Amino acid sequence: FMATFCNLRALAVALLAGYVVAIPIGTQRIAHHNNEAAPPILNISSAAASNAMHVKQAAPNPPLPFAWKTCNQPGDPTSITEMSVSPSPVTLSKTGDREVTVSMTAGITVDISTGTSFSLLIKKRVPFTTTFEKIPCLDGYGSCNYPDLCGSINDAMPTCNDWFVQHKISCHCPFAAQTISAPPSAFTIPAVGNKLPSWLADGDFQVTVTALDGKGAELGCLFMQMSLRLEA
């Protein structure tokens, strides 16, 4: 993780920050481009839980279990071998901090520095259905391209979250080639206030994060599904 869960964009950036420190190189390319279908979910605690994505609901959709899958191209220098976020849904608050439990085993075989960019493809589930619709890029939120990964991390998290401090993990560029192994531990989500659009703070989401180096070569790709619930 690299930033804070203060909004969905920061959540994806946070997952990417941990992602830019992974070890074995993934080989499956899944949902790499914005016009590709979302990948199947493999890293999920229960096959039955994933039915929330595949079976049409007559009642309101239950929260999605958190799940993830790498969508790397062969030869990408980053990968994740284990990651968990609980509970589900992840709760955000306008006025107070909230906590989730996060674990990750990851690594990277090259240094990450300035010039790195990343993109987000965010889809939100249509209520009462299993259909996910792409959220366009609106005022820097949604399915956007971000030309400055390091700057985005600094903006989302000027001071390293205690989760990083506890596990002695750097949260700002440059990232040296390294491996990390962080067991389940508390990650504080700051209050989101009124800055985050409500349509991006509450719902069921599929997110694909793709990072590129300064020459446009892919560093890694990560697909996640998660549910967010916003409290007053």
Side-chain angles (χ1 to χ4, degrees):
F1 284 82
M2 72 177 148
T4 174
F5 284 31
C6 62
N7 56 47
L8 185 60
R9 173 176 128 187
L11 172 57
V13 171
L15 291 168
L16 180 59
Y19 185 51
V20 293
V21 281
I23 232 180
I25 296 174
T27 57
Q28 295 192 14
R29 183 185 179 196
I30 301 177
H32 172 58
H33 296 295
N34 287 5
N35 59 355
E36 293 184 15
I41 302 300
L42 297 185
N43 298 289
I44 191 168
S45 59
S46 167
S50 67
N51 288 341
M53 287 185 60
H54 303 297
V55 179
K56 186 172 182 179
Q57 304 292 323
N61 297 108
L64 293 173
F66 177 81
W68 64 276
K69 186 174 181 66
T70 59
C71 42
N72 287 1
Q73 298 187 69
D76 282 0
T78 64
S79 187
I80 293 176
T81 55
E82 186 279 328
M83 180 169 60
S84 67
V85 177
S86 63
S88 181
V90 172
T91 301
L92 307 179
S93 172
K94 291 185 176 182
T95 58
D97 294 348
R98 295 294 183 266
E99 282 193 353
V100 292
T101 298
V102 176
S103 69
M104 178 177 288
T105 302
I108 184 169
T109 59
V110 298
D111 294 344
I112 301 295
S113 58
T114 57
T116 304
S117 63
F118 73 102
S119 64
L120 297 180
L121 169 60
I122 301 178
K123 296 182 179 181
K124 185 175 182 178
R125 183 161 61 175
V126 179
F128 301 96
T129 76
T130 58
T131 301
F132 284 78
E133 296 289 346
K134 177 182 175 181
I135 297 177
C137 185
L138 300 171
D139 297 324
Y141 294 95
S143 299
C144 303
N145 296 317
Y146 300 94
D148 183 5
L149 170 65
C150 296
S152 294
I153 298 172
N154 292 336
D155 291 342
M157 189 171 54
T159 302
C160 290
N161 185 285
D162 288 345
W163 187 89
F164 293 92
V165 177
Q166 176 184 351
H167 298 297
K168 297 180 173 60
I169 300 171
S170 173
C171 68
H172 295 128
C173 293
F175 296 101
Q178 61 184 292
T179 65
I180 64 168
S181 181
S185 47
F187 188 106
T188 301
I189 308 172
V192 300
N194 294 315
K195 296 181 180 180
L196 180 64
S198 59
W199 47 265
L200 198 56
D202 195 289
D204 305 322
F205 298 91
Q206 293 178 338
V207 182
T208 301
V209 188
T210 305
L212 305 176
D213 67 18
K215 297 180 180 179
E218 184 174 290
L219 293 170
C221 178
L222 174 67
F223 173 88
M224 299 166 286
Q225 74 168 19
M226 69 195 76
S227 291
L228 301 180
R229 298 295 182 264
L230 180 64
E231 298 178 345

